[in-house]
């Protein structure tokens, strides 16, 4: 599914001076790490199926805008976003499905990247605590959560422009 050349990103921090958009670089880091750790669900229908069984298993839901005139996909995305809001899953809208594919090293042009779920890192199923241990998240994941928290509750989700490379 993904190109084997995708490798774990060693540094989890980013510099606002070095990057055009720190949030877009942060998304890139989070996606690449989650890909290496096999914590992604790719595609709108697989994401909906995953969430119907594991509503507490996703940390982020990245979506792209539906093509103009594609009302069926638009309705699914609206319902998905409402479900995510209800289940406290951070929704992040990005500008390009093509950039998501490149970012994750996918060369299959037919594969649907209109929605990508990033699952929580491994959680101990035998733990009595139902709370997420935020200390196991990467710095980039915590930075992305901070960004989402600052923008939580707005009726319009901000579209983030992903880096070209």
């Amino acid at each position: 599914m993904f190109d084997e050349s995708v490798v774990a990103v060693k540094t989890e921090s980013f510099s606002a001076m070095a990057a055009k958009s720190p949030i877009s670089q942060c998304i890139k880091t989070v996606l690449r790490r989650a890909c290496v750790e096999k914590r992604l669900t790719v595609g709108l229908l697989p994401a909906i199926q995953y969430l119907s069984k594991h509503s507490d298993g996703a940390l982020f839901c990245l979506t792209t805008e539906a093509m103009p005139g594609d009302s069926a996909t638009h309705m699914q995305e609206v319902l998905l976003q409402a479900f995510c809001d209800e289940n406290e899953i951070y929704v992040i809208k990005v500008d390009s499905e093509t950039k998501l594919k490149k970012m994750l090293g996918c060369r299959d042009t037919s594969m649907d990247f209109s929605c990508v779920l990033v699952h929580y890192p491994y959680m101990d199923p035998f733990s009595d605590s139902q709370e997420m241990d935020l200390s196991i998240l990467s710095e980039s994941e915590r930075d992305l959560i901070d960004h989402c928290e600052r923008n939580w509750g707005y009726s319009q989700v901000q579209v983030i422009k992903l880096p070209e490379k």
Side-chain angles (χ1 to χ4, degrees), residues 38-51:
K38 299 185 181 352
R39 296 188 293 121
L40 294 179
T41 298
V42 177
L44 184 58
L45 291 177
I48 291 169
Q49 290 169 345
Y50 175 85
L51 289 172

Side-chain angles (χ1 to χ4, degrees), residues 65-139:
E65 294 183 289
M67 299 298 288
D70 186 357
S71 58
T73 302
H74 176 71
M75 285 190 298
Q76 287 177 324
E77 288 177 354
V78 168
L79 291 171
L80 176 64
Q81 183 174 341
F83 180 88
C84 288
D85 287 346
E86 185 177 305
N87 288 281
E88 298 182 356
I89 299 167
Y90 298 107
V91 177
I92 302 166
K93 190 166 284 268
V94 296
D95 68 329
S96 172
E97 186 174 343
T98 304
K99 290 178 187 177
L100 277 175
K101 285 180 184 181
K102 280 184 184 179
M103 202 176 280
L104 293 170
C106 180
R107 295 188 179 141
D108 181 357
T109 57
S110 66
M111 196 167 169
D112 173 26
F113 270 74
S114 64
C115 179
V116 176
L117 288 180
V118 178
H119 306 195
Y120 278 102
Y122 172 77
M123 292 174 55
D124 183 2
F126 301 109
S127 171
D128 291 333
S129 174
Q130 296 298 325
E131 290 293 313
M132 176 62 179
D133 179 8
L134 296 181
S135 69
I136 65 172
L137 298 177
S138 70
E139 184 178 335

Side-chain angles (χ1 to χ4, degrees), residues 18-29 31-32 62 94-104 160-165:
K20 271 188 201 175
S21 171
I23 292 304
S24 66
Q25 293 297 330
C26 189
I27 291 170
K28 184 177 182 178
T29 302
L31 284 175
R32 286 191 171 173
L62 284 85
V94 296
D95 68 329
S96 172
E97 186 174 343
T98 304
K99 290 178 187 177
L100 277 175
K101 285 180 184 181
K102 280 184 184 179
M103 202 176 280
L104 293 170
I160 296 173
K161 184 174 170 80
L162 293 175
E164 296 294 328
K165 295 180 181 182

